[in-house]
Amino acid sequence: MDEKEQRTGAHGGAAGTHFLLVPGAFTGGWVWEETAARLRATGAAATALTLTGADAGAHGSAPAPPDLETHIGEVVRAIDAVTAAGGAGRFGEPAGSGGAATTPEIVLVGHGYGLHPALGAADRRPERVTRIIALDTAPAQHDQPAWTTLPDQRVREQLATWARADASDGATVPTDRATVPTDRAAGPTDGADAAGTGTGGAPGAATGTGAGAGPAPRTHGGTLPPPPSPAAWRRWGSTEGLSEAVLARLVRDAVPQPLGTLLQPLRLTGAAAAVPVTGVLCTANGTSIDLVQMRIDLGDPAFRPLTAPGVRFLELPTGHWPMLSHPDALADALRRAAAGEGHRLTPAGSQPPPHLRPFLLDVPEVPHERNETIDLYLPGGDGPHPAVIVVHGGPVPEGIRPTPRDWPTLTGYARLAASQGAIGVTFDHGLYGLDRYPHAARDVAAAVARVRADPRVDADRIALWFFSGGGLLAADWLSAPPPWLRCVAANYPILAPLPNWGLDGDRFRPAVAVRGAGELPLVVVRAGRDLPEILATVTEFRAAAEAHGAALEIIDVPEGHHGFETADHRSETAPETLRTAVRTALDTVLGHLTAP
């Protein structure tokens, strides 16, 4: 079986398997209808669950508002019903394959929020569950509430406020519907100057359908309103592949999500630790096997469990709702996952990680000075000298060693710059998570200010060079570039937030900020073999730059992978081509930096 088949799951059977399909927030079993029908047509059994609260008004007469344990209990009862029914297809209906009733293999499929109750149910019935499938959703850990996995940043921040208050004394309870922002304001909502002093996506600061922070729901009453428009649904995941009719149905049939289901922590005993897990990643939503592997290579401890022997991954080239955009392909992937197919990730430490391999070029030793979080690589001769400030990517795990300012790619460019008469600068910033972009932007602004204040630096000749996920940090400098900023460069950059990142507003969207770049020289080094989801952001940025007349130069590296300066160090494809790209990029940046 080749790599493409391993990732996409093109074949496989599931006779004797019963799929229990658990929907995400705001939706019910109806979203699974077409996928379930296709599974049954192959001889499998499939039941699409609708959890309490997904029937509009269904829990109004319940003795207590539904919470996560309510939904876990419902999935457990579905497991018990399948067990009692033997080989029945749908709690008493004949299975698609017919024949005598036998105890089926139960596969739990959780989409979005639905993975939380699926994991909880597997923990209660581990002997009955043969596999858990996480559909475009990260597996949760013990004591983790579902709100921490929501893609909408503003909603996540609001629920975090309530969760903290819910753990304190004296909290009050909303009795009907919580007031939470659920839609994006039109146009820019959180612009900031280059110093990072904008409001960012502060809770309650952006326009929406809610009113910002409200009382904490101690007894988990109240509901989270569903996204009220197709644009609002895009904040919960990529809608690529969905027709206008399907989007309209999502809006029409969506129901409020009980807050208790999002705020109550998931309680796991570890009983289901041995149950195999398959992650089905939707690449148009901004997640892929290669991206996950990159996080593992960085040594992120949160991703370490994904390398366990029982964990596999498949990919689907669609948005976050494959059951609605590509039900045939999803049914195929679920059948392949049930059969144990898929790609296994490589544990960190089994080989040198790409970001710590040697730099492509032999770089000269130059005087090196370390000041707290900033390193200066100094040229010879009298100053002041222009400076090239290298901004690392991320997010990176907090506490990673060595820290990014010591990574070979960044020090390599800094040394090369110093060898050609500019001061090369590396430094660490605090991009430890997707919610830390505002913090990292402040770190970048502070580092730039410190460098410009150094008497050895020509404060009127500064270039900023961003890498990978640090590309979003370029937006502050593009929207209103100061006169002393002579060039902004970016290597294999992410230039628009990936769909599932949930970043709010336009502040960290270089493809929007470029309209203010004016005549500032922009240099983008595009790695031709980069991840498709990252290349798509470069394409978006290039189109915006051309539309606004920005001075953009693209340096193409057709054979380069993401981080090619070290990742492709031993490449047999075209090493000299890669080295030439490094030299060309540096010469281009220095040319703009020293131009009259």
Side-chain angles (χ1 to χ4, degrees), residues 361-557:
L361 298 179
D362 293 328
V363 292
E365 289 296 329
V366 296
H368 172 211
E369 183 177 297
R370 173 158 289 190
N371 299 304
E372 298 178 5
T373 61
I374 298 177
D375 284 17
L376 302 179
Y377 294 85
L378 302 170
D382 296 329
H385 302 279
V388 177
I389 302 176
V390 179
V391 183
H392 69 77
V396 298
E398 190 167 7
I400 188 173
R401 295 292 182 272
T403 62
R405 63 173 167 170
D406 289 326
W407 291 358
T409 289
L410 308 184
T411 60
Y413 277 106
R415 285 192 171 100
L416 285 174
S419 70
Q420 297 190 37
I423 295 178
V425 182
T426 67
F427 69 102
D428 294 325
H429 58 73
L431 186 56
Y432 302 129
L434 294 175
D435 59 344
R436 296 293 295 272
Y437 270 97
H439 181 91
R442 290 192 293 272
D443 289 347
V444 172
V448 171
R450 285 188 58 187
V451 170
R452 293 187 67 232
D454 192 304
R456 295 167 292 183
V457 172
D458 182 346
D460 290 325
R461 295 184 181 274
I462 304 295
L464 290 174
W465 202 331
F466 298 87
F467 287 76
S468 189
L472 299 188
L473 296 169
D476 278 352
W477 305 90
L478 298 178
S479 59
W484 45 262
L485 183 59
R486 298 303 183 94
C487 179
V488 168
N491 281 27
Y492 35 86
I494 298 175
L495 292 173
L498 300 184
N500 63 346
W501 282 17
L503 293 177
D504 190 45
D506 288 336
R507 180 179 177 190
F508 298 110
R509 296 177 184 269
V512 174
V514 72
R515 63 192 175 194
E519 298 180 356
L520 174 68
L522 309 177
V523 180
V524 170
V525 178
R526 179 170 56 187
R529 301 177 72 176
D530 204 342
L531 307 182
E533 51 269 40
I534 294 178
L535 286 173
T537 73
V538 176
T539 300
E540 179 183 349
F541 179 81
R542 181 176 189 173
E546 291 175 350
H548 294 287
L552 173 63
E553 180 175 353
I554 300 284
I555 297 175
D556 275 313
V557 190

Side-chain angles (χ1 to χ4, degrees), residues 71 111 135 144 213 248 285 379 449 568 588:
H71 287 174
H111 177 242
L135 179 53
Q144 181 181 8
N285 197 35
D568 294 336
T588 302

Side-chain angles (χ1 to χ4, degrees), residues 9 23 26 93-94 106 125 149 184 216 224 240 332 368 373 382 403 434 438 481 531 548:
F26 311 120
E93 297 178 8
I106 295 175
R125 296 291 188 272
T149 67
R184 182 192 298 276
L224 183 68
E240 181 170 318
D332 235 12
H368 172 211
T373 61
D382 296 329
T403 62
L434 294 175
L531 307 182
H548 294 287

Side-chain angles (χ1 to χ4, degrees), residues 231-253:
W233 272 102
R234 294 184 184 99
R235 295 174 57 80
W236 291 79
S238 168
T239 58
E240 181 170 318
L242 299 185
S243 66
E244 291 185 7
V246 169
L247 277 170
R249 187 179 182 188
L250 275 174
V251 174
R252 183 185 71 242
D253 292 351

Side-chain angles (χ1 to χ4, degrees), residues 32-419:
W32 297 103
E33 289 171 353
E34 293 187 51
T35 301
R38 285 158 173 77
L39 288 169
R40 296 186 196 110
T42 67
T47 300
L49 302 182
T50 295
L51 304 174
T52 297
D55 290 329
H59 65 277
S61 59
D67 55 19
L68 178 57
E69 285 297 329
T70 305
H71 287 174
I72 290 174
E74 291 173 352
V75 180
V76 168
R77 287 191 290 275
I79 293 172
D80 292 344
V82 170
T83 302
R90 210 175 172 193
F91 299 174
E93 297 178 8
S97 58
T102 58
T103 302
E105 295 185 346
I106 295 175
V107 175
L108 295 179
V109 183
H111 177 242
Y113 160 77
L115 185 59
H116 262 67
L119 290 170
D123 188 72
R124 274 69 162 175
R125 296 291 188 272
E127 74 286 354
R128 291 298 307 119
V129 177
T130 59
R131 183 167 295 271
I132 300 166
I133 299 178
L135 179 53
D136 208 34
T137 306
Q141 305 300 316
H142 170 68
D143 214 32
Q144 181 181 8
W147 68 261
T148 62
T149 67
L150 299 182
D152 190 312
Q153 182 182 22
R154 277 187 294 164
V155 173
R156 194 169 62 245
E157 290 171 343
Q158 176 64 88
L159 293 179
T161 300
W162 284 341
R164 287 190 295 268
D166 196 43
S168 64
D169 293 332
T172 58
V173 183
T175 57
D176 48 12
R177 178 171 294 196
T179 53
V180 183
T182 57
D183 204 353
R184 182 192 298 276
T189 59
D190 56 353
D193 58 20
T197 57
T199 60
T207 302
T209 60
R218 168 159 291 281
T219 61
H220 302 140
T223 56
L224 183 68
S229 67
W233 272 102
R234 294 184 184 99
R235 295 174 57 80
W236 291 79
S238 168
T239 58
E240 181 170 318
L242 299 185
S243 66
E244 291 185 7
V246 169
L247 277 170
R249 187 179 182 188
L250 275 174
V251 174
R252 183 185 71 242
D253 292 351
V255 296
Q257 182 76 13
L259 275 176
T261 64
L262 302 174
L263 294 175
Q264 187 176 40
L266 176 64
R267 305 299 185 191
L268 299 175
T269 66
V275 176
V277 176
T278 299
V280 178
L281 307 179
C282 297
T283 57
N285 197 35
T287 304
S288 66
I289 291 172
D290 288 335
L291 270 176
V292 176
Q293 185 66 60
M294 285 171 60
R295 297 288 296 180
I296 291 168
D297 292 340
L298 283 173
D300 193 329
F303 285 72
R304 195 173 298 137
L306 302 183
T307 65
V311 180
R312 295 290 187 272
F313 285 90
L314 298 169
E315 290 178 347
L316 287 174
T318 187
H320 183 56
W321 285 273
M323 69 287 289
L324 299 175
S325 59
H326 291 284
D328 283 317
L330 175 58
D332 235 12
L334 296 182
R335 291 167 51 225
R336 172 63 71 81
E341 302 289 353
H343 176 88
R344 185 179 172 191
L345 297 170
T346 303
S350 56
Q351 57 185 354
H355 66 285
L356 294 182
R357 296 172 190 167
F359 193 60
L360 272 172
L361 298 179
D362 293 328
V363 292
E365 289 296 329
V366 296
H368 172 211
E369 183 177 297
R370 173 158 289 190
N371 299 304
E372 298 178 5
T373 61
I374 298 177
D375 284 17
L376 302 179
Y377 294 85
L378 302 170
D382 296 329
H385 302 279
V388 177
I389 302 176
V390 179
V391 183
H392 69 77
V396 298
E398 190 167 7
I400 188 173
R401 295 292 182 272
T403 62
R405 63 173 167 170
D406 289 326
W407 291 358
T409 289
L410 308 184
T411 60
Y413 277 106
R415 285 192 171 100
L416 285 174
S419 70

